[in-house]
Structure formats: C-alpha cells, structure tokens
Amino acid sequence: MTRYLLDANVFIQAKNLHYGFDFCPAFWEWLVAQNAAAIVASIEKVSDELVGGGDELADWAHAQGKGFFLPPDDAVLPALGQVSAWATGQAYEPAAIATFLQVADYWLVAHAKAHECVVVTHEVPSDSVRKIKIPNVCIGLGITCMSPYEMLRRERARFVLGAAS
C-alpha cells in the first residue's frame, strides 16, 4: 500500500484555489478518510506552518492532530542526516542550504525517506541554485514525488455530491 506525505502547499492551494472548505468539503473529508486508512498523512512541521496561518485551514489542521500530522520518530533522525548530506553535497548557494535545513520541507523529505512514502507537492524541479526544491531532493535520494492531482488520480478519488469516496 502506498503512503503519501503531503507538503504544506497542497493544503494551502487546496483551500485557496480548487477545494475551498465552503464549496468542496468532500476533498477534506477524503483526506481525513484516507488518513484513517493509513494512506494519507503529513508531518508535524507542516501542521506548525498551517496552524500559524490563523485561518480556517489552521483550525482544520489543529483539529486533525498527531494522527494526521505525524511527529518525527527514531527512523527519521538518520534520514535527516542523509537529506542534509545530499543538500550540502550539491551546488546550492549556502543561503539556500541553510534555509532548506530550517524548514518543514527538510523534515518532510526525511520522513518520506525513512518510511518509504511518496511526497506530494505542487513544487516542480528547478535548476536554480538559490532554492532547494522538494522534487530535486526526492530525485536525488530516490524518493517518489508527485503532484496532488497525480495522487488523486492514482487513488481514484471521487468527490460526489458532497461526499468523498
């Protein structure tokens, strides 16, 4: 069974663009149902970013708790070292590396590496040396990475008349 870990931008763009709480609650219900089935999750550091927004998404993230937003465990710590070693071994600017190692993206990729999860993000690979993008790290470390739309298609998500299936 595939397990997906969602980046903060998946939640933020869903709320702001395609799956607003007011007109597509089925998307959010689907996420909760898939989390209960151990298919979809995110990490605590992503929750911290979302809760910091102080809006409806912050309330939703807070309500999901640690069942949805997983804390780091013993397996994540060695993976942090692997992700850090990869980032520092590339041609990124020192500021890009320093920033990456301080944000949720670093922890998200490490959690995915440690637990063989698929990373789900709206980010796309980039040749820039000024910002480390999640897909670049995933490619470099052999971690599967996809867009939320690819995940929804792969999982055959269906949103019908206000109900997720």
Side-chain angles (χ1 to χ4, degrees):
M1 169 175 41
T2 301
R3 176 121 192 209
Y4 302 94
L5 286 180
L6 280 56
D7 183 19
N9 67 24
V10 173
F11 301 102
I12 294 166
Q13 288 191 31
K15 175 193 72 98
N16 292 338
L17 299 172
H18 309 293
Y19 306 115
F21 288 102
D22 57 338
F23 64 88
C24 193
F27 171 77
W28 304 96
E29 294 164 6
W30 184 85
L31 288 178
V32 170
Q34 296 308 300
N35 175 257
I39 295 171
V40 171
S42 191
I43 62 164
E44 195 172 68
K45 298 273 186 197
V46 166
S47 175
D48 293 345
E49 285 185 17
L50 301 178
V51 170
D55 59 5
E56 189 175 18
L57 179 56
D59 295 342
W60 181 88
H62 180 72
Q64 302 318 306
K66 291 184 188 232
F68 198 106
F69 295 99
L70 308 171
D73 58 21
D74 291 341
V76 174
L77 298 179
L80 287 168
Q82 291 176 296
V83 176
S84 175
W86 182 89
T88 57
Q90 306 305 305
Y92 292 106
E93 292 180 359
I97 296 167
T99 299
F100 176 74
L101 296 177
Q102 295 174 8
V103 297
D105 296 359
Y106 170 53
W107 290 84
L108 183 72
V109 173
H111 201 107
K113 179 77 174 159
H115 295 284
E116 299 180 0
C117 298
V118 173
V119 175
V120 180
T121 184
H122 282 291
E123 288 187 9
V124 294
S126 170
D127 291 332
S128 173
V129 296
R130 294 180 179 208
K131 183 171 187 330
I132 299 176
K133 297 287 195 167
I134 290 172
N136 292 79
V137 184
C138 288
I139 291 165
L141 293 173
I143 301 166
T144 302
C145 184
M146 66 180 56
S147 76
Y149 309 113
E150 291 172 284
M151 174 192 68
L152 292 169
R153 283 188 181 99
R154 183 187 258 192
E155 294 302 315
R156 300 179 191 268
R158 302 287 185 258
F159 308 124
V160 181
L161 299 174
S165 63

